[in-house]
Amino acid sequence: MKFETEFFNIGYLDTLSYRDTLVHRLDPRIKITVSFLFIILVVSFPKYELSALVPFFFYPVFLLAAGNIPLHAISKKILFVSPFAVFIGIFNPLLDTDILVTPFGIPVTGGWISFLSILMKFILTVSTALLLIAVTSFPGICEALERMKLPKIFVLQLLFLYRYIFVLLEVALKMLRAREARSFGKKGKEIKTFTKLISVLLVRSVERAERIYQAMLSRGFRGEIRVAKRHRPGIADFLFAVTAVALFVLFRKVNIVYYVGETVSRHIR
């Protein structure tokens, strides 16, 4: 995984947000509210719940398909951060050894079920957050948060943090290329050189950020997020919100997978 590849890949989700599809045209405030409710309902399930989480995959799959988002763009990022979720639940099978179910005669402990539940919740919530950026854009999300009356200082810090990541990576990319051009074999790749690069990177990033901020002030920035188009809720937004919330509540109240399985097994008998 090369640094240059990851650098240009970070802004790929923002590039996807400029597509013109049904979900791209929805009001960002509606998409944020629906996605936030989705995440709250997903994490509210008990730790041993698996089957009831399955229907919730409908929402990220819908955003993926309706937004014409490439699957690899989301799956690669989920895999990249998945070690954090694995680390959280990897010790559950060792700590919780009570056998809860025996499918096909195979005993399965509560630790393995809670571990799989953590992974499913992680995939659902992270994929939804990434898809929200892919169909809205990060500046669009910040503009919507500002219109939803969130503290302006919080929204601006969020926007600047996102913007300055690219500044930091651009400076780091130039420094890495310079080091590669001046290194032969293992020379220049010692820890001592690495620590010097980190300190120089910090100083250059601060200087670059100061210049960018001064340029923003000279171009009329007064602490407001301005976008080319401000959305207004319409019929499509209303239908999307009502349908999504109704399905989420249904999935949360009724274990559809369990009832379908019970019905199928009853007919087989």
Side-chain angles (χ1 to χ4, degrees):
M1 187 176 293
K2 293 183 177 180
F3 182 82
E4 291 88 343
T5 305
E6 286 308 300
F7 170 69
F8 290 112
N9 197 29
I10 282 181
Y12 184 51
L13 291 182
D14 262 341
T15 306
L16 295 174
S17 69
Y18 292 103
R19 293 184 174 181
D20 185 23
T21 67
L22 172 66
V23 289
H24 283 83
R25 290 191 292 271
L26 292 173
D27 192 309
R29 292 171 294 179
I30 300 294
K31 287 184 281 189
I32 291 173
T33 305
V34 170
S35 300
F36 181 73
L37 178 64
F38 173 86
I39 292 173
I40 293 294
L41 291 178
V42 167
V43 299
S44 68
F45 278 98
K47 65 178 181 179
Y48 293 135
E49 191 58 68
L50 287 178
S51 59
L53 288 169
V54 174
F56 280 87
F57 280 95
F58 167 79
Y59 183 58
V61 170
F62 168 75
L63 292 180
L64 194 75
N68 195 20
I69 306 297
L71 177 61
H72 66 84
I74 304 300
S75 58
K76 285 176 64 177
K77 288 177 170 53
I78 293 176
L79 285 176
F80 187 72
V81 296
S82 60
F84 295 101
V86 174
F87 183 76
I88 290 173
I90 193 63
F91 296 107
N92 287 16
L94 302 177
L95 301 175
D96 187 355
T97 56
D98 294 337
I99 298 175
L100 296 185
V101 292
T102 53
F104 306 106
I106 302 173
V108 180
T109 65
W112 281 111
I113 295 176
S114 61
F115 178 50
L116 292 176
S117 180
I118 289 174
L119 292 182
M120 289 182 69
K121 290 176 182 176
F122 166 79
I123 293 173
L124 284 168
T125 54
V126 173
S127 62
T128 298
L130 292 173
L131 286 165
L132 179 63
I133 298 175
V135 299
T136 308
S137 83
F138 201 83
I141 292 174
C142 291
E143 185 263 345
L145 292 175
E146 184 184 37
R147 295 178 68 188
M148 293 168 73
K149 305 301 180 185
L150 262 73
K152 184 178 289 186
I153 185 67
F154 169 77
V155 178
L156 287 177
Q157 290 295 327
L158 197 63
L159 182 63
F160 285 161
L161 174 66
Y162 180 74
R163 285 300 184 195
Y164 285 139
I165 284 177
F166 295 93
V167 177
L168 179 69
L169 291 178
E170 184 182 350
V171 175
L173 180 62
K174 290 179 180 177
M175 292 175 62
L176 284 176
R177 283 176 176 168
R179 190 194 64 171
E180 292 293 330
R182 293 169 174 78
S183 300
F184 299 95
K186 295 184 179 179
K187 186 179 180 182
K189 297 183 179 179
E190 304 87 1
I191 295 296
K192 184 179 178 181
T193 308
F194 178 74
T195 55
K196 288 181 179 178
L197 284 175
I198 293 295
S199 58
V200 174
L201 174 64
L202 176 62
V203 173
R204 288 187 178 181
S205 300
V206 172
E207 291 177 351
R208 181 74 180 277
E210 285 287 339
R211 290 200 298 272
I212 291 175
Y213 183 65
Q214 294 300 326
M216 291 171 63
L217 292 178
S218 65
R219 287 165 173 78
F221 177 72
R222 295 294 180 269
E224 296 179 357
I225 301 174
R226 298 183 180 181
V227 292
K229 179 183 179 182
R230 279 188 176 257
H231 292 80
R232 291 184 177 180
I235 297 176
D237 301 286
F238 177 75
L239 291 176
F240 170 75
V242 171
T243 306
V245 171
L247 287 175
F248 295 165
V249 173
L250 175 66
F251 296 157
R252 184 64 183 86
K253 295 288 186 183
V254 182
N255 191 337
I256 296 175
V257 174
Y258 173 79
Y259 285 111
V260 170
E262 283 289 312
T263 306
V264 171
S265 61
R266 198 177 302 125
H267 282 288
I268 292 175
R269 291 170 191 167

